[in-house]
Amino acid sequence: MRTRMLSCFYFAIPVGSGLGYIVGTEVASAFGDKWQWGLRVTPIIGAVCVLLCIFVVHEPKRGAIEKGENPNAVSASNVHHTTSWWADIKYLTTVKSFIWLDLGFTCVTFVTGALAFWAPKFLLYASKAQGITDATVTDISLKVGIITCAAGIVGVWLGAEIAWRYRVRNRKADAIVCAVALLGSAPFLYGSLVLASKNIKITYALIFFGEVLLFMNWAPVGDMVLYIIVPSRRSTAEAVQILFSHLLGDAGSPWLVGEISDRIRGSGDSDKDHARSMEYSLLITTFICVLGGFCFIMCSLYLVKDREEAEDHTRTQEDDSSLLGSVASENYPAMGDENQGIENDDDDDNDDDKLLGSEPVSPTFSDREALVVPVSVHSVPPVQEESNNHVV
């Protein structure tokens, strides 16, 4: 359930980015093509979000879902025992899967930031280089915005769904899905850059498929951060990931791509010169995609181990009311992962024969290995027969 809820949450990023193209250009056009008015809309939306966070959002108890508790029953401010920021940072440096995950996601933000900033202008120069004289920034920004919104909805949903279903067979599914998606986006981005000055329609189609694969990373990445980090340090992990990935990703990639484009173009100022220099400079994003895919592959090597350590830590902090106290991790789904299939039981006929020939033994269960039997609360309880062993 958490994976699907994260996919709903991460719809906001691509859809918001796409709407930013559309709303920003339309507002700027309405005020005489002054780009400043396109940015003045965002503080109003931000103020509404701040008010919603203050008065509507409830902060749940850390690790409540893993322990089978109601996350809305008590506020985190009453039960959450915080640790120092420096202790959290030292802990995060020991979680290898988190480090590789952060590096991989930094590559994702680098690519998306560069494309978001330069794609409309690059496509404008590429269109004019083909002889399409009526192309405008407003028209191209509208098309890019629509493509980004559609690709975001498809990509985020597809990434969450594939990871959710594949996780039943492979506990490394989240990292593998991210790696395959990021590596798969590189050829589409390369094709869109090379063909932009030859066929703009094919370029739009390639951009759509490339962005779909890019956006497949968002939900699995968020899910991995939550289950490889112990509950009390998740907020620090999220903060570090957001700061690190955006600081080294989309914060600097537009400047770097623009600087490379200016160096390549030199003194040339024609539409073809601009299109060619931007094409070559944006090709760096394809190599970053490959680098990010490698980082997610490395993340998959440590993912299961780090997740089990986080789960064991959470189990040791539980109380008797926790559902985890009656679930054996070897035979039941991992915490927070309701779709994790029960491991296959491959007993053969020889084992059955041995069991039949052995003496019956009364089973003993530890607290953690006790079975949980689901009971319907709406059914009528069975009537217990009275014992006739009365003393005469």
Side-chain angles (χ1 to χ4, degrees):
M1 180 61 70
R2 184 166 63 189
T3 303
R4 289 182 171 177
M5 291 301 100
L6 285 172
S7 68
C8 294
F9 172 79
Y10 282 116
F11 279 144
I13 296 176
V15 174
S17 300
L19 291 176
Y21 287 115
I22 300 172
V23 175
T25 54
E26 293 298 327
V27 171
S29 177
F31 285 89
D33 291 330
K34 294 181 179 180
W35 61 268
Q36 294 90 341
W37 285 100
L39 298 178
R40 288 168 182 167
V41 180
T42 55
I44 301 174
I45 302 174
V48 174
C49 293
V50 170
L51 293 176
L52 291 175
C53 289
I54 294 174
F55 296 105
V56 178
V57 177
H58 171 79
E59 185 178 5
K61 176 183 175 181
R62 302 292 187 267
I65 294 297
E66 283 83 353
K67 294 184 177 183
E69 301 171 358
N70 182 2
N72 297 317
V74 62
S75 175
S77 59
N78 297 329
V79 297
H80 179 43
H81 301 288
T82 58
T83 54
S84 67
W85 182 82
W86 180 243
D88 291 347
I89 296 299
K90 289 195 296 184
Y91 162 76
L92 293 177
T93 59
T94 64
V95 185
K96 295 181 180 180
S97 60
F98 175 78
I99 296 174
W100 285 109
L101 179 151
D102 209 357
L103 291 172
F105 194 67
T106 300
C107 295
V108 175
T109 58
F110 183 98
V111 175
T112 55
L115 293 177
F117 191 88
W118 289 113
K121 186 170 290 188
F122 167 65
L123 294 174
L124 176 64
Y125 287 129
S127 298
K128 291 183 176 181
Q130 296 181 38
I132 305 175
T133 56
D134 58 344
T136 61
V137 176
T138 302
D139 181 57
I140 291 177
S141 296
L142 178 63
K143 293 178 181 178
V144 172
I146 294 173
I147 290 173
T148 302
C149 287
I153 294 173
V154 175
V156 172
W157 172 82
L158 197 61
E161 196 68 18
I162 292 176
W164 182 73
R165 294 181 180 277
Y166 184 43
R167 202 181 302 149
V168 176
R169 299 182 180 180
N170 191 338
R171 297 186 68 186
K172 302 177 181 179
D174 291 309
I176 294 175
V177 168
C178 291
V180 172
L182 201 51
L183 291 172
S185 66
F188 289 99
L189 295 179
Y190 177 83
S192 66
L193 295 172
V194 173
L195 297 177
S197 299
K198 300 178 177 62
N199 193 319
I200 196 66
K201 294 182 179 180
I202 295 179
T203 298
Y204 282 127
L206 292 175
I207 290 176
F208 172 78
F209 290 111
E211 287 189 339
V212 166
L213 292 169
L214 275 176
F215 292 137
M216 285 177 63
N217 289 270
W218 292 95
V221 165
D223 208 3
M224 281 188 286
V225 173
L226 292 178
Y227 65 64
I228 63 177
I229 304 298
V230 297
S232 61
R233 286 168 170 160
R234 285 175 182 168
S235 57
T236 303
E238 290 282 359
V240 169
Q241 186 218 0
I242 292 173
L243 174 64
F244 188 80
S245 60
H246 291 293
L247 183 63
L248 300 181
D250 53 350
S253 61
W255 170 82
L256 181 62
V257 170
E259 188 69 19
I260 295 174
S261 176
D262 290 341
R263 296 294 181 88
I264 294 174
R265 189 179 70 254
S267 59
D269 197 34
S270 65
D271 292 332
K272 290 185 177 180
D273 291 333
H274 281 280
R276 182 179 60 85
S277 62
M278 293 191 69
E279 173 189 336
Y280 292 160
S281 62
L282 284 170
L283 282 175
I284 191 176
T285 59
T286 60
F287 296 99
I288 298 298
C289 285
V290 176
L291 179 61
F294 170 77
C295 291
F296 281 117
I297 292 175
M298 294 299 298
C299 172
S300 67
L301 301 180
Y302 305 100
L303 187 65
V304 176
K305 175 179 174 293
D306 291 339
R307 178 173 187 172
E308 290 177 347
E309 290 179 355
E311 291 174 355
D312 291 340
H313 178 273
T314 306
R315 287 193 182 93
T316 59
Q317 303 298 323
E318 66 183 344
D319 54 20
D320 294 336
S321 63
S322 170
L323 293 180
L324 289 176
S326 59
V327 175
S329 61
E330 296 179 355
N331 300 319
Y332 288 85
M335 293 183 301
D337 195 3
E338 76 285 348
N339 66 301
Q340 181 69 34
I342 299 175
E343 294 184 358
N344 295 328
D345 186 9
D346 297 329
D347 294 335
D348 53 19
D349 295 336
N350 294 332
D351 294 333
D352 294 339
D353 295 338
K354 293 178 181 179
L355 290 174
L356 291 174
S358 60
E359 293 295 331
V361 179
S362 299
T364 58
F365 300 94
S366 63
D367 292 338
R368 291 181 57 184
E369 293 173 340
L371 296 177
V372 176
V373 180
V375 178
S376 175
V377 296
H378 302 288
S379 61
V380 179
V383 179
Q384 183 176 2
E385 297 182 359
E386 295 183 359
S387 176
N388 292 327
N389 297 330
H390 298 292
V391 179
V392 181

